[in-house]
Amino acid sequence: MPETRELTVTFVPGVTPGKWIHRWEERMPDVALQSHPVAESRQLDAVRAGEADMAFVRLPVDKAGLNVIPLYTELSVVVAPKDHPIAAFEEIAVEELADEYLLADPDDFPAWRDTSTEIREGTRKPLPEMASAEEALDLVEAGLGILILPMSVARHFNRKALRARVVTGIPESGIGLAWLQSDVPLPDGFDAVIEEFIGVVRGRGRNSSRQPSVQAKQDAAPKKGAKGAAKSTTPGAGGAKGKSAAGKGGPTLRGGGRPGGKARAQKRGRR
């Protein structure tokens, strides 16, 4: 692996890249890794602007011009004030939230939209302005409605005044890794650095043959049998080694293959 510039990665709320960063530092000490949190609403801005090499994103995303690989999924939760009835349950079906005011675009949650009382009756109020998940949680805390979030995001913004419970009937939320597509190899062999990080995130072991760093070491190592082949083709290679080779490939008849051994054996048989 060539020494290169640093690798820059961004991540959205709920993603905790610490374990991957730790593995990277152990395996690739010559390539520094910088990570930066970004808002979900701007999760691809740095990558598309060339300010970050890769981004942990919440799926789905617009894949135009990008490579995107899914990594894992997580449950969704409903968040409400701590004295809300949901606090009495470990999990709740989305249909049980039909009479609640959801602080989100109904089209983002079709399962809730299709059972919502206010949408069916045409009484839904316009959404208040919310620039971030934190602002939406402020409104939940004020008792203005409920919120449905990925479990990791709810934990990230954990508040004592709120409760989160698993909500069933809502598709799981997915996390992926995204980076720009390119038809031209990156400078200084940086494609190998990108591939190395993908392997780390996907859980490949440090000795996996699919890792570019391991492939580079294997290519640089001397091929097995190269020395032995050279010695065997050297003219006049006799001595003890030559005798050993002859012994292995020589006769196995009684008499040991020594000069005159067969004749002596026949004489002993006549006695």
Side-chain angles (χ1 to χ4, degrees):
M1 293 286 290
E3 292 190 13
T4 67
R5 61 181 174 84
E6 66 184 17
L7 177 68
T8 304
V9 181
T10 62
F11 59 95
V12 293
V15 174
T16 51
K19 61 181 179 181
W20 298 312
I21 294 173
H22 180 66
R23 290 175 190 166
W24 182 264
E25 290 172 344
E26 287 182 336
R27 300 185 194 181
M28 303 293 294
D30 294 332
V31 183
L33 191 155
Q34 298 292 331
S35 61
H36 307 285
V38 294
E40 185 175 336
S41 59
R42 304 185 62 185
Q43 62 182 351
L44 287 171
D45 289 1
V47 167
R48 292 196 183 279
E51 298 169 356
D53 300 300
M54 311 185 83
F56 289 101
V57 296
R58 193 164 297 281
L59 303 174
V61 295
D62 179 5
K63 295 183 179 180
L66 295 173
N67 295 300
V68 181
I69 55 173
L71 298 177
Y72 62 88
T73 60
E74 58 181 323
L75 296 172
S76 295
V77 298
V78 55
V79 183
K82 65 179 182 180
D83 57 355
H84 192 281
I86 72 160
F89 303 93
E90 291 187 1
E91 65 178 41
I92 189 166
V94 67
E95 294 83 2
E96 298 297 321
L97 305 173
D99 294 334
E100 302 289 341
Y101 181 74
L102 180 64
L103 290 162
D105 184 341
D107 291 337
D108 291 342
F109 300 96
W112 177 85
R113 178 198 62 201
D114 295 344
T115 61
S116 169
T117 301
E118 61 184 19
I119 290 180
R120 184 177 68 250
E121 296 176 351
T123 59
R124 181 170 170 82
K125 301 175 185 176
L127 281 173
E129 291 187 10
M130 297 172 289
S132 65
E134 290 177 284
E135 291 187 10
L137 288 169
D138 289 339
L139 299 180
V140 174
E141 196 167 340
L144 299 183
I146 63 170
L147 202 57
I148 295 177
L149 295 172
M151 181 179 285
S152 64
V153 177
R155 287 176 175 170
H156 179 77
F157 294 115
N158 183 46
R159 299 187 183 188
K160 292 182 179 179
L162 301 177
R163 295 291 181 269
R165 296 293 183 266
V166 172
V167 57
T168 60
I170 297 291
E172 293 185 341
S173 175
I175 292 294
L177 187 63
W179 68 101
L180 288 178
Q181 288 180 347
S182 176
D183 296 329
V184 180
L186 298 176
D188 302 320
F190 207 71
D191 294 279
V193 174
I194 297 291
E195 183 62 32
E196 189 80 21
F197 187 72
I198 293 170
V200 167
V201 172
R202 282 186 157 176
R204 294 177 195 158
R206 65 168 61 245
N207 297 319
S208 171
S209 61
R210 298 180 65 186
Q211 291 294 87
S213 58
V214 175
Q215 293 172 2
K217 290 177 183 178
Q218 291 175 343
D219 292 342
K223 304 299 181 185
K224 289 184 178 180
K227 280 189 175 182
K231 286 183 179 179
S232 66
T233 56
T234 304
K241 290 185 178 179
K243 185 184 290 185
S244 174
K248 287 184 179 179
T252 58
L253 294 174
R254 186 177 177 182
R258 294 172 294 170
K262 183 176 182 182
R264 285 194 294 272
Q266 289 173 342
K267 287 181 181 179
R268 284 195 297 269
R270 289 195 295 268
R271 291 175 186 174

